[in-house]
Every structure is written in structure tokens, then in C-alpha cells.
Amino acid sequence: MTVDRVAIIGGTGEEGFGLALRWARAGIAVTIGSRETERGKQAAGRVREVLADARVDGMSNQDAAASHDVIVVTVPFGGQATIYKSIAEHVREEAIVIDGTVPVSTAVGGRPTTVLGVWQGSAAQQANSLLPKSVTTMGAFHTLAAKAVGEIETPLEGDVLVCGPKKGKPVVRELVEAIESLRFVDAGSLDQARLVEPLTALLIGINRRYKTDRAGVRITGLPD
Ligand SMILES: NC(=O)c1ccc[n+]([C@@H]2O[C@H](COP(=O)([O-])OP(=O)(O)OC[C@H]3O[C@@H](n4cnc5c(N)ncnc54)[C@H](OP(=O)(O)O)[C@@H]3O)[C@@H](O)[C@H]2O)c1
């Protein structure tokens, strides 16, 4: 499958908007989904202000989901379940849905909202549980700092740890490799998202200590 178009649910926010810019620059047609169609269209306009030739549009989350085979979701964890419930019946039967949600709350200083012994799942597994069984749910893009993603003249550093069924991995690989300098790393099944997602909480703390906003992750020792 060659990924020619992608919908980004939550693409009006910092993380999704940065990805929209990066993919639009790579020539991929991007649809920015929003709870309000007008907000999606305004965000698409902002992409065009940066990249005049971008193939970009804005839609409601439901319309964006219904009209794409590849969907990326970048929304706050607090609203994630509501968003999936609102799009579930619109998602195409064979769609690949890539969840980038991180279960942290900035309101509590970036600490994980998961508590050992209470909930040890992941946002990606929650997404999967809310989507039809025919849909392939993947987890990816958790450790990319939005500030760095949005600065499209600067190559991104780091790896994208990708979790989920084998069927979805070539698609996520294409999206990762469409972004200059990023590397796809196969992190295993969707279960592994419970290990990958908390890395972002770790990075938030590292950012704070090093007074930066772009700490990321690089796995060493892998063959080329
Ligand atoms: N920011 C980062 O550096 C970073 C890095 C790695 C991972 N992440 C993760 O990526 C996800 C998105 O991050 P972000 O910083 O882009 O988030 P954000 O800007 O707060 O939100 C993204 C979009 O989600 C929608 N949204 C906001 N609150 C919502 C709610 N309560 N319920 C449903 N939808 C809501 C909004 O779109 P509409 O109003 O247009 O619907 C918003 O523009 C989060 O899970 C975050 O943890 C972020």
C-alpha cells in the first residue's frame, strides 16, 4: 500500500498539526479532522500559509474518518474515549487507525495517569477496544515532541516506536519514512503500547530538567 492520503483526528492541536505539515510537505494529501468542521478548515488554511502547494483539507472528525483508509489520532487522553466513540461507526471496515495518544495529564506535571495495580493498559489498547474488530489499530508517534515536529525546516531526530499487528506496520513505516531523518522501529504487538506510551512522561520530565522541549528516543544497536 502506498499512503497517498491520511486523516489526522485532532490535527488542529500541536502534535497533529506538526505531522500534517510534515506529511503535506512530503506530498501526502492530509485531511485535518476536528470536532468542529470550521476549525479543521482553518487549520488546513494554516498549513497552506506555510506550504502553498499542500494538498490539505479540513473536515469533521466523522467525515475525515469515513473518507480515509489511514487515520492518525492525536487527541488528549482525557477526551480519547469520547473521540473514538464518536468516530467508530464512521471508520471504514479495513481502515488502519494509528493512535498517538499518551495517557499523561499535563495538569499533574506530566505524570502518567496510569497507576500500577489499578490500570496497566494503554491508550492504544483502549482505542482498539472502541473500534470495530475489522479495523487495524496501531500505536505510534508518541515520543515525537510537537515543537520539533512543527519546525519543518529542521530534520527530526529520533525513532518512532511502532506497536500493533503486522498488517499495519508497512503503512506506519511509510508515514514515518515520509518524514526526513525519522526511523521506524518495530516495537511489537499492540500490547507493547503500555510500555511505549509512558516514555513520553519520562521525556516530559527530562525536558523540564534540561530546559528544552524536544527530547526524543533513539534505539541503538539495530542493524541498518
Ligand atoms: N504536545 C506534544 O509535544 C506531544 C508529544 C507526544 C505525544 N503527544 C500526545 O499527542 C496527543 C495530542 O497532543 P497535543 O499537544 O496536540 O494535544 P492538544 O493540542 O491539547 O489537542 C489536540 C486536539 O484534540 C482535540 N481535543 C482537545 N481536547 C479534547 C477533548 N477533551 N476531547 C476531545 N478532543 C479534544 C482538539 O481538536 P478540536 O477542538 O479541533 O476537535 C485539539 O486541537 C496527546 O495525547 C499527547 O499526550 C503530545
PDB file of all heavy atoms in Angstrom, residues 10-16 33-36 39-40 61 74-80 83 100-104 141-147 200, ligand 1:
ATOM      1  N   GLY A  10      -7.802  15.362  15.451  1.00  0.00           N
ATOM      2  CA  GLY A  10      -7.060  16.149  16.446  1.00  0.00           C
ATOM      3  C   GLY A  10      -5.924  16.930  15.801  1.00  0.00           C
ATOM      4  O   GLY A  10      -5.059  17.468  16.488  1.00  0.00           O
ATOM      5  N   GLY A  11      -5.958  16.993  14.472  1.00  0.00           N
ATOM      6  CA  GLY A  11      -4.884  17.681  13.734  1.00  0.00           C
ATOM      7  C   GLY A  11      -4.882  19.192  13.904  1.00  0.00           C
ATOM      8  O   GLY A  11      -3.990  19.876  13.409  1.00  0.00           O
ATOM      9  N   THR A  12      -5.871  19.720  14.618  1.00  0.00           N
ATOM     10  CA  THR A  12      -5.865  21.153  14.945  1.00  0.00           C
ATOM     11  C   THR A  12      -4.921  21.445  16.105  1.00  0.00           C
ATOM     12  O   THR A  12      -4.578  22.592  16.352  1.00  0.00           O
ATOM     13  CB  THR A  12      -7.284  21.627  15.332  1.00  0.00           C
ATOM     14  OG1 THR A  12      -7.751  20.781  16.393  1.00  0.00           O
ATOM     15  CG2 THR A  12      -8.249  21.542  14.167  1.00  0.00           C
ATOM     16  N   GLY A  13      -4.524  20.404  16.851  1.00  0.00           N
ATOM     17  CA  GLY A  13      -3.639  20.577  18.005  1.00  0.00           C
ATOM     18  C   GLY A  13      -2.177  20.539  17.588  1.00  0.00           C
ATOM     19  O   GLY A  13      -1.853  20.290  16.421  1.00  0.00           O
ATOM     20  N   GLU A  14      -1.306  20.744  18.559  1.00  0.00           N
ATOM     21  CA  GLU A  14       0.103  20.958  18.232  1.00  0.00           C
ATOM     22  C   GLU A  14       0.757  19.734  17.572  1.00  0.00           C
ATOM     23  O   GLU A  14       1.453  19.851  16.563  1.00  0.00           O
ATOM     24  CB  GLU A  14       0.865  21.334  19.516  1.00  0.00           C
ATOM     25  CG  GLU A  14       2.091  22.143  19.218  1.00  0.00           C
ATOM     26  CD  GLU A  14       2.815  22.605  20.472  1.00  0.00           C
ATOM     27  OE1 GLU A  14       2.435  22.182  21.590  1.00  0.00           O
ATOM     28  OE2 GLU A  14       3.789  23.362  20.306  1.00  0.00           O
ATOM     29  N   GLU A  15       0.525  18.564  18.159  1.00  0.00           N
ATOM     30  CA  GLU A  15       1.183  17.359  17.644  1.00  0.00           C
ATOM     31  C   GLU A  15       0.657  17.008  16.238  1.00  0.00           C
ATOM     32  O   GLU A  15       1.417  16.813  15.296  1.00  0.00           O
ATOM     33  CB  GLU A  15       0.932  16.191  18.614  1.00  0.00           C
ATOM     34  CG  GLU A  15       1.636  14.897  18.248  1.00  0.00           C
ATOM     35  CD  GLU A  15       3.119  14.889  18.594  1.00  0.00           C
ATOM     36  OE1 GLU A  15       3.606  15.843  19.234  1.00  0.00           O
ATOM     37  OE2 GLU A  15       3.798  13.922  18.197  1.00  0.00           O
ATOM     38  N   GLY A  16      -0.652  16.958  16.124  1.00  0.00           N
ATOM     39  CA  GLY A  16      -1.247  16.579  14.841  1.00  0.00           C
ATOM     40  C   GLY A  16      -0.972  17.603  13.750  1.00  0.00           C
ATOM     41  O   GLY A  16      -0.767  17.238  12.586  1.00  0.00           O
ATOM     42  N   GLY A  33      -8.951  16.588  10.843  1.00  0.00           N
ATOM     43  CA  GLY A  33     -10.243  16.366  11.482  1.00  0.00           C
ATOM     44  C   GLY A  33     -10.364  17.182  12.753  1.00  0.00           C
ATOM     45  O   GLY A  33      -9.378  17.401  13.458  1.00  0.00           O
ATOM     46  N   SER A  34     -11.592  17.621  13.019  1.00  0.00           N
ATOM     47  CA  SER A  34     -11.844  18.405  14.229  1.00  0.00           C
ATOM     48  C   SER A  34     -13.258  18.119  14.707  1.00  0.00           C
ATOM     49  O   SER A  34     -14.107  17.690  13.916  1.00  0.00           O
ATOM     50  CB  SER A  34     -11.681  19.894  13.932  1.00  0.00           C
ATOM     51  OG  SER A  34     -12.148  20.666  15.025  1.00  0.00           O
ATOM     52  N   ARG A  35     -13.522  18.412  15.986  1.00  0.00           N
ATOM     53  CA  ARG A  35     -14.902  18.305  16.468  1.00  0.00           C
ATOM     54  C   ARG A  35     -15.765  19.367  15.794  1.00  0.00           C
ATOM     55  O   ARG A  35     -16.968  19.256  15.764  1.00  0.00           O
ATOM     56  CB  ARG A  35     -14.935  18.442  17.990  1.00  0.00           C
ATOM     57  CG  ARG A  35     -14.339  17.222  18.707  1.00  0.00           C
ATOM     58  CD  ARG A  35     -14.143  17.496  20.175  1.00  0.00           C
ATOM     59  NE  ARG A  35     -13.124  18.526  20.385  1.00  0.00           N
ATOM     60  CZ  ARG A  35     -12.785  19.007  21.564  1.00  0.00           C
ATOM     61  NH1 ARG A  35     -13.370  18.547  22.646  1.00  0.00           N
ATOM     62  NH2 ARG A  35     -11.846  19.931  21.664  1.00  0.00           N
ATOM     63  N   GLU A  36     -15.122  20.420  15.279  1.00  0.00           N
ATOM     64  CA  GLU A  36     -15.840  21.492  14.562  1.00  0.00           C
ATOM     65  C   GLU A  36     -15.256  21.598  13.161  1.00  0.00           C
ATOM     66  O   GLU A  36     -14.067  21.919  13.014  1.00  0.00           O
ATOM     67  CB  GLU A  36     -15.635  22.839  15.270  1.00  0.00           C
ATOM     68  CG  GLU A  36     -16.265  22.929  16.638  1.00  0.00           C
ATOM     69  CD  GLU A  36     -17.800  22.999  16.563  1.00  0.00           C
ATOM     70  OE1 GLU A  36     -18.326  23.375  15.498  1.00  0.00           O
ATOM     71  OE2 GLU A  36     -18.439  22.658  17.575  1.00  0.00           O
ATOM     72  N   ARG A  39     -13.096  24.572  12.400  1.00  0.00           N
ATOM     73  CA  ARG A  39     -11.739  24.570  12.990  1.00  0.00           C
ATOM     74  C   ARG A  39     -10.785  23.733  12.144  1.00  0.00           C
ATOM     75  O   ARG A  39      -9.628  24.082  11.952  1.00  0.00           O
ATOM     76  CB  ARG A  39     -11.789  24.022  14.415  1.00  0.00           C
ATOM     77  CG  ARG A  39     -11.521  25.062  15.443  1.00  0.00           C
ATOM     78  CD  ARG A  39     -11.228  24.634  16.838  1.00  0.00           C
ATOM     79  NE  ARG A  39     -11.862  23.467  17.370  1.00  0.00           N
ATOM     80  CZ  ARG A  39     -13.002  23.474  18.069  1.00  0.00           C
ATOM     81  NH1 ARG A  39     -13.648  24.610  18.283  1.00  0.00           N
ATOM     82  NH2 ARG A  39     -13.493  22.352  18.570  1.00  0.00           N
ATOM     83  N   GLY A  40     -11.284  22.624  11.622  1.00  0.00           N
ATOM     84  CA  GLY A  40     -10.462  21.794  10.739  1.00  0.00           C
ATOM     85  C   GLY A  40     -10.069  22.561   9.480  1.00  0.00           C
ATOM     86  O   GLY A  40      -8.914  22.520   9.035  1.00  0.00           O
ATOM     87  N   ASN A  61     -14.455  15.303  12.420  1.00  0.00           N
ATOM     88  CA  ASN A  61     -13.776  14.027  12.698  1.00  0.00           C
ATOM     89  C   ASN A  61     -14.494  12.863  12.014  1.00  0.00           C
ATOM     90  O   ASN A  61     -13.852  11.957  11.470  1.00  0.00           O
ATOM     91  CB  ASN A  61     -13.731  13.775  14.211  1.00  0.00           C
ATOM     92  CG  ASN A  61     -12.755  14.692  14.917  1.00  0.00           C
ATOM     93  OD1 ASN A  61     -11.792  15.167  14.324  1.00  0.00           O
ATOM     94  ND2 ASN A  61     -12.997  14.937  16.197  1.00  0.00           N
ATOM     95  N   THR A  74      -4.506  12.097  17.231  1.00  0.00           N
ATOM     96  CA  THR A  74      -3.651  12.808  18.197  1.00  0.00           C
ATOM     97  C   THR A  74      -4.541  13.723  19.041  1.00  0.00           C
ATOM     98  O   THR A  74      -4.698  14.890  18.743  1.00  0.00           O
ATOM     99  CB  THR A  74      -2.580  13.662  17.474  1.00  0.00           C
ATOM    100  OG1 THR A  74      -3.237  14.543  16.555  1.00  0.00           O
ATOM    101  CG2 THR A  74      -1.577  12.807  16.723  1.00  0.00           C
ATOM    102  N   VAL A  75      -5.137  13.143  20.064  1.00  0.00           N
ATOM    103  CA  VAL A  75      -6.013  13.910  20.958  1.00  0.00           C
ATOM    104  C   VAL A  75      -5.572  13.682  22.405  1.00  0.00           C
ATOM    105  O   VAL A  75      -4.894  12.702  22.702  1.00  0.00           O
ATOM    106  CB  VAL A  75      -7.500  13.490  20.793  1.00  0.00           C
ATOM    107  CG1 VAL A  75      -8.002  13.798  19.390  1.00  0.00           C
ATOM    108  CG2 VAL A  75      -7.710  12.038  21.143  1.00  0.00           C
ATOM    109  N   PRO A  76      -5.964  14.572  23.313  1.00  0.00           N
ATOM    110  CA  PRO A  76      -5.601  14.362  24.720  1.00  0.00           C
ATOM    111  C   PRO A  76      -6.264  13.093  25.260  1.00  0.00           C
ATOM    112  O   PRO A  76      -7.387  12.763  24.858  1.00  0.00           O
ATOM    113  CB  PRO A  76      -6.155  15.603  25.433  1.00  0.00           C
ATOM    114  CG  PRO A  76      -6.471  16.590  24.374  1.00  0.00           C
ATOM    115  CD  PRO A  76      -6.722  15.815  23.121  1.00  0.00           C
ATOM    116  N   PHE A  77      -5.580  12.417  26.160  1.00  0.00           N
ATOM    117  CA  PHE A  77      -6.103  11.155  26.704  1.00  0.00           C
ATOM    118  C   PHE A  77      -7.484  11.352  27.338  1.00  0.00           C
ATOM    119  O   PHE A  77      -8.360  10.499  27.205  1.00  0.00           O
ATOM    120  CB  PHE A  77      -5.118  10.596  27.736  1.00  0.00           C
ATOM    121  CG  PHE A  77      -5.574   9.308  28.351  1.00  0.00           C
ATOM    122  CD1 PHE A  77      -5.735   8.171  27.577  1.00  0.00           C
ATOM    123  CD2 PHE A  77      -5.865   9.231  29.713  1.00  0.00           C
ATOM    124  CE1 PHE A  77      -6.165   6.977  28.132  1.00  0.00           C
ATOM    125  CE2 PHE A  77      -6.294   8.043  30.275  1.00  0.00           C
ATOM    126  CZ  PHE A  77      -6.448   6.909  29.490  1.00  0.00           C
ATOM    127  N   GLY A  78      -7.670  12.493  27.991  1.00  0.00           N
ATOM    128  CA  GLY A  78      -8.943  12.752  28.674  1.00  0.00           C
ATOM    129  C   GLY A  78     -10.143  12.717  27.736  1.00  0.00           C
ATOM    130  O   GLY A  78     -11.252  12.397  28.154  1.00  0.00           O
ATOM    131  N   GLY A  79      -9.920  13.027  26.457  1.00  0.00           N
ATOM    132  CA  GLY A  79     -11.029  13.035  25.504  1.00  0.00           C
ATOM    133  C   GLY A  79     -10.979  11.873  24.533  1.00  0.00           C
ATOM    134  O   GLY A  79     -11.825  11.766  23.639  1.00  0.00           O
ATOM    135  N   GLN A  80     -10.000  10.984  24.713  1.00  0.00           N
ATOM    136  CA  GLN A  80      -9.768   9.951  23.692  1.00  0.00           C
ATOM    137  C   GLN A  80     -10.953   9.006  23.511  1.00  0.00           C
ATOM    138  O   GLN A  80     -11.370   8.730  22.390  1.00  0.00           O
ATOM    139  CB  GLN A  80      -8.502   9.156  24.058  1.00  0.00           C
ATOM    140  CG  GLN A  80      -8.014   8.253  22.948  1.00  0.00           C
ATOM    141  CD  GLN A  80      -7.528   6.901  23.443  1.00  0.00           C
ATOM    142  OE1 GLN A  80      -7.905   6.448  24.528  1.00  0.00           O
ATOM    143  NE2 GLN A  80      -6.692   6.255  22.657  1.00  0.00           N
ATOM    144  N   ILE A  83     -13.797  10.602  21.668  1.00  0.00           N
ATOM    145  CA  ILE A  83     -13.499  10.762  20.236  1.00  0.00           C
ATOM    146  C   ILE A  83     -13.693   9.430  19.510  1.00  0.00           C
ATOM    147  O   ILE A  83     -14.339   9.369  18.462  1.00  0.00           O
ATOM    148  CB  ILE A  83     -12.047  11.278  20.044  1.00  0.00           C
ATOM    149  CG1 ILE A  83     -11.921  12.724  20.512  1.00  0.00           C
ATOM    150  CG2 ILE A  83     -11.583  11.116  18.605  1.00  0.00           C
ATOM    151  CD1 ILE A  83     -12.606  13.751  19.631  1.00  0.00           C
ATOM    152  N   GLY A 100      -1.810   8.044  18.577  1.00  0.00           N
ATOM    153  CA  GLY A 100      -0.610   8.655  19.166  1.00  0.00           C
ATOM    154  C   GLY A 100      -0.882   9.230  20.540  1.00  0.00           C
ATOM    155  O   GLY A 100      -0.085   9.986  21.079  1.00  0.00           O
ATOM    156  N   THR A 101      -2.024   8.846  21.111  1.00  0.00           N
ATOM    157  CA  THR A 101      -2.426   9.399  22.409  1.00  0.00           C
ATOM    158  C   THR A 101      -1.505   8.910  23.524  1.00  0.00           C
ATOM    159  O   THR A 101      -1.140   7.745  23.570  1.00  0.00           O
ATOM    160  CB  THR A 101      -3.857   8.926  22.751  1.00  0.00           C
ATOM    161  OG1 THR A 101      -4.699   9.175  21.643  1.00  0.00           O
ATOM    162  CG2 THR A 101      -4.380   9.627  23.984  1.00  0.00           C
ATOM    163  N   VAL A 102      -1.200   9.829  24.419  1.00  0.00           N
ATOM    164  CA  VAL A 102      -0.378   9.448  25.566  1.00  0.00           C
ATOM    165  C   VAL A 102      -1.190   9.670  26.844  1.00  0.00           C
ATOM    166  O   VAL A 102      -1.716  10.763  27.050  1.00  0.00           O
ATOM    167  CB  VAL A 102       0.906  10.300  25.602  1.00  0.00           C
ATOM    168  CG1 VAL A 102       1.685  10.029  26.875  1.00  0.00           C
ATOM    169  CG2 VAL A 102       1.764  10.010  24.387  1.00  0.00           C
ATOM    170  N   PRO A 103      -1.309   8.663  27.684  1.00  0.00           N
ATOM    171  CA  PRO A 103      -2.093   8.827  28.905  1.00  0.00           C
ATOM    172  C   PRO A 103      -1.330   9.575  29.995  1.00  0.00           C
ATOM    173  O   PRO A 103      -1.001   9.025  31.041  1.00  0.00           O
ATOM    174  CB  PRO A 103      -2.430   7.388  29.322  1.00  0.00           C
ATOM    175  CG  PRO A 103      -1.387   6.557  28.704  1.00  0.00           C
ATOM    176  CD  PRO A 103      -0.862   7.284  27.497  1.00  0.00           C
ATOM    177  N   VAL A 104      -1.028  10.829  29.716  1.00  0.00           N
ATOM    178  CA  VAL A 104      -0.445  11.683  30.758  1.00  0.00           C
ATOM    179  C   VAL A 104      -1.319  12.921  30.884  1.00  0.00           C
ATOM    180  O   VAL A 104      -1.994  13.311  29.948  1.00  0.00           O
ATOM    181  CB  VAL A 104       0.992  12.166  30.424  1.00  0.00           C
ATOM    182  CG1 VAL A 104       1.951  11.012  30.324  1.00  0.00           C
ATOM    183  CG2 VAL A 104       1.010  13.021  29.175  1.00  0.00           C
ATOM    184  N   PHE A 141       4.171   7.347  17.124  1.00  0.00           N
ATOM    185  CA  PHE A 141       4.413   8.804  17.169  1.00  0.00           C
ATOM    186  C   PHE A 141       4.348   9.404  18.575  1.00  0.00           C
ATOM    187  O   PHE A 141       4.336  10.623  18.720  1.00  0.00           O
ATOM    188  CB  PHE A 141       3.434   9.568  16.235  1.00  0.00           C
ATOM    189  CG  PHE A 141       3.489   9.080  14.811  1.00  0.00           C
ATOM    190  CD1 PHE A 141       2.413   8.434  14.236  1.00  0.00           C
ATOM    191  CD2 PHE A 141       4.645   9.235  14.067  1.00  0.00           C
ATOM    192  CE1 PHE A 141       2.476   7.959  12.930  1.00  0.00           C
ATOM    193  CE2 PHE A 141       4.721   8.768  12.751  1.00  0.00           C
ATOM    194  CZ  PHE A 141       3.636   8.138  12.192  1.00  0.00           C
ATOM    195  N   HIS A 142       4.336   8.552  19.624  1.00  0.00           N
ATOM    196  CA  HIS A 142       4.170   9.067  20.992  1.00  0.00           C
ATOM    197  C   HIS A 142       5.346   9.922  21.447  1.00  0.00           C
ATOM    198  O   HIS A 142       5.171  10.821  22.266  1.00  0.00           O
ATOM    199  CB  HIS A 142       4.042   7.897  21.985  1.00  0.00           C
ATOM    200  CG  HIS A 142       3.023   6.886  21.606  1.00  0.00           C
ATOM    201  ND1 HIS A 142       3.331   5.720  20.945  1.00  0.00           N
ATOM    202  CD2 HIS A 142       1.691   6.881  21.788  1.00  0.00           C
ATOM    203  CE1 HIS A 142       2.220   5.022  20.750  1.00  0.00           C
ATOM    204  NE2 HIS A 142       1.219   5.697  21.237  1.00  0.00           N
ATOM    205  N   THR A 143       6.536   9.593  20.967  1.00  0.00           N
ATOM    206  CA  THR A 143       7.732  10.224  21.557  1.00  0.00           C
ATOM    207  C   THR A 143       8.274  11.379  20.720  1.00  0.00           C
ATOM    208  O   THR A 143       9.379  11.866  20.977  1.00  0.00           O
ATOM    209  CB  THR A 143       8.851   9.171  21.760  1.00  0.00           C
ATOM    210  OG1 THR A 143       9.104   8.539  20.501  1.00  0.00           O
ATOM    211  CG2 THR A 143       8.434   8.128  22.788  1.00  0.00           C
ATOM    212  N   LEU A 144       7.482  11.828  19.746  1.00  0.00           N
ATOM    213  CA  LEU A 144       7.923  12.984  18.941  1.00  0.00           C
ATOM    214  C   LEU A 144       7.434  14.268  19.606  1.00  0.00           C
ATOM    215  O   LEU A 144       6.230  14.460  19.779  1.00  0.00           O
ATOM    216  CB  LEU A 144       7.353  12.906  17.528  1.00  0.00           C
ATOM    217  CG  LEU A 144       7.780  11.723  16.674  1.00  0.00           C
ATOM    218  CD1 LEU A 144       7.132  11.828  15.297  1.00  0.00           C
ATOM    219  CD2 LEU A 144       9.295  11.647  16.560  1.00  0.00           C
ATOM    220  N   ALA A 145       8.358  15.141  19.952  1.00  0.00           N
ATOM    221  CA  ALA A 145       7.983  16.393  20.606  1.00  0.00           C
ATOM    222  C   ALA A 145       7.305  17.307  19.594  1.00  0.00           C
ATOM    223  O   ALA A 145       7.852  17.593  18.521  1.00  0.00           O
ATOM    224  CB  ALA A 145       9.221  17.066  21.179  1.00  0.00           C
ATOM    225  N   ALA A 146       6.118  17.792  19.939  1.00  0.00           N
ATOM    226  CA  ALA A 146       5.327  18.588  18.981  1.00  0.00           C
ATOM    227  C   ALA A 146       6.093  19.809  18.479  1.00  0.00           C
ATOM    228  O   ALA A 146       6.014  20.147  17.303  1.00  0.00           O
ATOM    229  CB  ALA A 146       4.011  19.002  19.639  1.00  0.00           C
ATOM    230  N   LYS A 147       6.826  20.458  19.376  1.00  0.00           N
ATOM    231  CA  LYS A 147       7.568  21.669  18.964  1.00  0.00           C
ATOM    232  C   LYS A 147       8.519  21.327  17.815  1.00  0.00           C
ATOM    233  O   LYS A 147       8.598  22.040  16.822  1.00  0.00           O
ATOM    234  CB  LYS A 147       8.390  22.205  20.143  1.00  0.00           C
ATOM    235  CG  LYS A 147       7.592  22.986  21.160  1.00  0.00           C
ATOM    236  CD  LYS A 147       7.455  24.450  20.720  1.00  0.00           C
ATOM    237  CE  LYS A 147       6.622  25.294  21.658  1.00  0.00           C
ATOM    238  NZ  LYS A 147       5.388  24.711  22.155  1.00  0.00           N
ATOM    239  N   THR A 200       6.787   8.959  27.055  1.00  0.00           N
ATOM    240  CA  THR A 200       6.534  10.394  26.867  1.00  0.00           C
ATOM    241  C   THR A 200       6.525  11.118  28.213  1.00  0.00           C
ATOM    242  O   THR A 200       7.013  12.248  28.321  1.00  0.00           O
ATOM    243  CB  THR A 200       5.205  10.608  26.116  1.00  0.00           C
ATOM    244  OG1 THR A 200       5.268   9.833  24.922  1.00  0.00           O
ATOM    245  CG2 THR A 200       4.990  12.067  25.756  1.00  0.00           C
TER     246      THR A 200
HETATM  247  N1  LIG B   1       2.419  18.013  22.505  1.00  0.00           N
HETATM  248  C1  LIG B   1       3.433  17.164  22.484  1.00  0.00           C
HETATM  249  O1  LIG B   1       4.639  17.521  22.476  1.00  0.00           O
HETATM  250  C2  LIG B   1       3.167  15.682  22.422  1.00  0.00           C
HETATM  251  C3  LIG B   1       4.236  14.812  22.259  1.00  0.00           C
HETATM  252  C4  LIG B   1       3.974  13.458  22.175  1.00  0.00           C
HETATM  253  C5  LIG B   1       2.673  12.987  22.296  1.00  0.00           C
HETATM  254  N2  LIG B   1       1.654  13.866  22.496  1.00  0.00           N
HETATM  255  C6  LIG B   1       0.302  13.326  22.639  1.00  0.00           C
HETATM  256  O2  LIG B   1      -0.405  13.606  21.446  1.00  0.00           O
HETATM  257  C7  LIG B   1      -1.768  13.890  21.763  1.00  0.00           C
HETATM  258  C8  LIG B   1      -2.103  15.267  21.207  1.00  0.00           C
HETATM  259  O3  LIG B   1      -1.278  16.232  21.818  1.00  0.00           O
HETATM  260  P1  LIG B   1      -1.488  17.785  21.528  1.00  0.00           P
HETATM  261  O4  LIG B   1      -0.497  18.501  22.337  1.00  0.00           O
HETATM  262  O5  LIG B   1      -1.553  18.014  20.066  1.00  0.00           O
HETATM  263  O6  LIG B   1      -2.965  17.962  22.163  1.00  0.00           O
HETATM  264  P2  LIG B   1      -3.948  19.193  22.137  1.00  0.00           P
HETATM  265  O7  LIG B   1      -3.384  20.284  21.288  1.00  0.00           O
HETATM  266  O8  LIG B   1      -4.334  19.511  23.536  1.00  0.00           O
HETATM  267  O9  LIG B   1      -5.246  18.570  21.449  1.00  0.00           O
HETATM  268  C9  LIG B   1      -5.268  18.132  20.112  1.00  0.00           C
HETATM  269  C10 LIG B   1      -6.666  18.311  19.560  1.00  0.00           C
HETATM  270  O10 LIG B   1      -7.561  17.398  20.191  1.00  0.00           O
HETATM  271  C11 LIG B   1      -8.839  17.996  20.309  1.00  0.00           C
HETATM  272  N3  LIG B   1      -9.212  17.998  21.732  1.00  0.00           N
HETATM  273  C12 LIG B   1      -8.756  18.793  22.708  1.00  0.00           C
HETATM  274  N4  LIG B   1      -9.327  18.494  23.893  1.00  0.00           N
HETATM  275  C13 LIG B   1     -10.183  17.493  23.639  1.00  0.00           C
HETATM  276  C14 LIG B   1     -11.067  16.747  24.453  1.00  0.00           C
HETATM  277  N5  LIG B   1     -11.183  16.961  25.763  1.00  0.00           N
HETATM  278  N6  LIG B   1     -11.782  15.794  23.877  1.00  0.00           N
HETATM  279  C15 LIG B   1     -11.668  15.560  22.569  1.00  0.00           C
HETATM  280  N7  LIG B   1     -10.836  16.233  21.735  1.00  0.00           N
HETATM  281  C16 LIG B   1     -10.108  17.185  22.278  1.00  0.00           C
HETATM  282  C17 LIG B   1      -8.733  19.419  19.805  1.00  0.00           C
HETATM  283  O11 LIG B   1      -9.203  19.434  18.468  1.00  0.00           O
HETATM  284  P3  LIG B   1     -10.646  20.033  18.055  1.00  0.00           P
HETATM  285  O12 LIG B   1     -11.047  21.005  19.127  1.00  0.00           O
HETATM  286  O13 LIG B   1     -10.350  20.697  16.758  1.00  0.00           O
HETATM  287  O14 LIG B   1     -11.539  18.870  17.952  1.00  0.00           O
HETATM  288  C18 LIG B   1      -7.262  19.684  19.855  1.00  0.00           C
HETATM  289  O15 LIG B   1      -6.839  20.643  18.912  1.00  0.00           O
HETATM  290  C19 LIG B   1      -1.897  13.793  23.279  1.00  0.00           C
HETATM  291  O16 LIG B   1      -2.389  12.523  23.650  1.00  0.00           O
HETATM  292  C20 LIG B   1      -0.487  13.996  23.755  1.00  0.00           C
HETATM  293  O17 LIG B   1      -0.248  13.395  25.015  1.00  0.00           O
HETATM  294  C21 LIG B   1       1.865  15.196  22.530  1.00  0.00           C
END
